[in-house]
Amino acid sequence: MEMDSGEKRLNELGYKQELRREMSLFKTFAITFSTMSFFSGTPLYGPSLLYAGPASLIWGYVAVTFFTWFVGFAMAEICSSFPTTGSLYFWAAHLAGPRWGPFASWCCAWLETIGVVSGIGTQAYAGAQALQMIILLSTGTNKGGGYFVPRSVFVSIYICLTLIWAVLNSFALQVVAFLDVISVWWQVMGGFIVIIGLPLIASSTQSASYVFTHFETSPESTGIHSKPYAMILSVLLSQYCLYGYDSAAHLTEETKGADRTGPLAILSSIGITSAFGWAYLLALTFSIQDPAYLYDPNNETAGAFVPAQIIYDAFYRRYHSGTGAIIFLCIIWGAFFFCGLSNLTSAARVVYALSRDGGVPFSRIWIKIHPKHKVPTNAVWLCAAITIIIGLPILKLNVVYTAIISISTIGWVGGYAVPIFARLVMDEKNFKPGPFYLGRASRPVCLIAFLYICYTCCVFLLPNLYPLRWDTFNYAPVAVSAVLTLIMLWWVLDARKWFKGPVKNIDVQNGDI
């Protein structure tokens, strides 16, 4: 039998095939699309609308999509050349060269690990919040004495979702792949239902002028008086929604013809997710009935989840019933569920790959592969345990979700910057291109992508509410600084002596790497 092109390139890079290579392009796309999930930014819609109004939110999404394509093209080119499960940190090691490779690999690996693991927490929180609204509306709404889930129950839902994802990821990857195929159809069909149905159901809709040109800050609610600052914060939703496309790269050792299918999965996920995401934001914004009422703590959803109130108002004013709103929220909740499941799939592969190269404490435990299902089960449960731990502060603080989102975005997107920068500055003759190659366009594409990533990481460190208090403070800078300081100290004091980046597990002869 002819060797798969992805496996052949993997062997050239010094790795033997250990994971089961049976994923098709569609299944890899399904997991990547599910990880991105255009519904994922739903909890941020309310704050983003409040910062600067609809125009900044809508056009900000277009601007973010434009720059995201540069990052996607840069990563697709590198993925085509290095189709390995280690993806980002493997790329960083090889592109940075023998001198800087280990350090670049170390930084990238830990940024990526921080991002993907905390990303599970963002979906667990979003899923718990959506379920909180479903329960509230199903039991009579906030006005009718409905049950508003308290913090303790909220955290219990968060933990249960994480455990369910871990159990499902403990089975063969084909189980998750099958669920993610369902996820694609769930999000596509459900997306069409919400995007088309919501404006049609709404008894009245906002004008195009309001949606596309209305700019309005809310300093009395946010404490932010600077209009440019408010605009920057209003775009955070878009920057959070449009990443995660590297999931295709994490699955390349399990995908057929990964040097071709990996880049295609990355780019197709960006295209479809960005299109659906913008349409979803338009549907929500056009369907607003009363902008001021959305944030009223005495409204039907207690002012806790603005999209739920928009959907409820649309159905109640048309049919005098909230049943349709509950159904729509179930569609959105399902998207959160599938997204969290895929996030854990991706995170486990990152931890497995880094452990395989000795970069995680007690690596021997996390590299164990289930003998039957051929998945990194221990890595799955490690990611689940960390996700649960970082969610526990929800019991005391309302700003935990914002902090987790910021940490996830900074880590995940920051991890993209390392290999892209290495690709930007390396000598072109040292790069062995795969089937997907940008040629002369590579350097300008990488430069724009790198600068955009730096900007994104910076804005997620900014305070997003004023005045600064314990219950409004953005804890992401503290958390990220603490973790990165420990990682850098570990590098300086110990890891630099033994960590050499990706460790080959086969001998390569006459292989151009």
Side-chain angles (χ1 to χ4, degrees), residues 191-449:
F192 273 119
I193 291 171
V194 174
I195 291 167
I196 296 174
L198 186 58
L200 292 176
I201 292 167
S203 56
S204 63
T205 57
Q206 295 292 333
S207 66
S209 175
Y210 172 81
V211 173
F212 293 109
T213 66
H214 184 69
F215 178 87
E216 179 184 8
T217 60
S218 303
E220 68 285 351
S221 299
T222 64
I224 298 170
H225 296 270
S226 168
K227 291 182 179 180
Y229 193 4
M231 290 179 65
I232 288 171
L233 294 181
S234 72
V235 181
L236 293 181
L237 175 151
S238 307
Q239 292 168 303
Y240 165 65
C241 288
L242 294 175
Y243 70 85
Y245 33 88
D246 60 303
S247 296
H250 301 316
L251 297 168
T252 48
E253 288 186 34
E254 299 163 89
T255 304
K256 300 173 184 176
D259 51 343
R260 291 178 174 82
T261 55
L264 286 174
I266 289 173
L267 298 176
S268 58
S269 295
I270 292 174
I272 295 175
T273 301
S274 59
F276 269 94
W278 198 56
Y280 175 53
L281 294 182
L282 288 174
L284 284 174
T285 309
F286 271 111
S287 302
I288 293 173
Q289 303 299 297
D290 182 357
Y293 186 62
L294 297 177
Y295 302 92
D296 187 343
N298 296 314
N299 66 21
E300 288 79 4
T301 58
F305 197 48
V306 167
Q309 187 64 44
I310 293 173
I311 296 170
Y312 179 85
D313 285 344
F315 275 96
Y316 191 80
R317 294 194 181 192
R318 171 74 71 177
Y319 302 112
H320 303 289
S321 170
T323 302
I326 296 171
I327 294 172
F328 272 34
L329 286 172
C330 286
I331 293 173
I332 295 171
W333 179 86
F336 293 149
F337 180 87
F338 288 122
C339 184
L341 178 68
S342 297
N343 276 356
L344 183 50
T345 304
S346 182
R349 270 65 187 173
V350 172
V351 172
Y352 163 76
L354 182 56
S355 299
R356 182 172 61 180
D357 297 325
V360 178
F362 311 108
S363 291
R364 291 184 180 181
I365 298 175
W366 318 126
I367 62 172
K368 291 188 179 297
I369 301 291
H370 192 282
K372 179 180 178 182
H373 302 310
K374 298 297 182 182
V375 295
T377 309
N378 290 358
V380 166
W381 285 97
L382 174 63
C383 294
I386 295 173
T387 300
I388 291 171
I389 291 170
I390 63 176
L392 294 179
I394 296 170
L395 289 167
K396 294 294 182 181
L397 294 170
N398 291 325
V399 292
V400 172
Y401 179 61
T402 303
I404 295 176
I405 281 181
S406 298
I407 294 167
S408 175
T409 306
I410 292 166
W412 207 325
V413 179
Y416 297 173
V418 182
I420 289 176
F421 180 76
R423 175 74 182 97
L424 175 66
V425 300
M426 75 178 300
D427 191 331
E428 189 67 22
K429 68 181 182 182
N430 294 329
F431 181 72
K432 179 180 179 179
F436 184 89
Y437 180 48
L438 296 176
R440 292 183 178 180
S442 180
R443 290 195 187 279
V445 166
C446 287
L447 177 60
I448 295 172

Side-chain angles (χ1 to χ4, degrees), residues 82-144:
F82 301 103
T84 69
T85 290
S87 59
L88 299 179
Y89 94 99
F90 186 98
W91 303 347
H94 283 262
L95 294 171
R99 181 180 178 184
W100 292 102
F103 180 67
S105 179
W106 179 263
C107 294
C108 183
W110 278 104
L111 281 170
E112 186 181 15
T113 301
I114 292 168
V116 294
V117 175
S118 55
I120 306 167
T122 65
Q123 296 309 311
Y125 187 102
Q129 190 173 42
L131 192 57
Q132 182 185 50
M133 290 298 105
I134 292 170
I135 293 171
L136 178 61
L137 296 181
S138 299
T139 55
T141 78
N142 183 52
K143 281 187 170 182

Side-chain angles (χ1 to χ4, degrees), residues 28-53:
T28 301
F29 161 76
I31 292 179
T32 308
F33 180 72
S34 297
T35 301
M36 294 183 72
S37 180
F38 63 89
F39 282 119
S40 64
T42 303
L44 288 179
Y45 178 86
S48 296
L49 183 66
L50 189 64
Y51 284 129

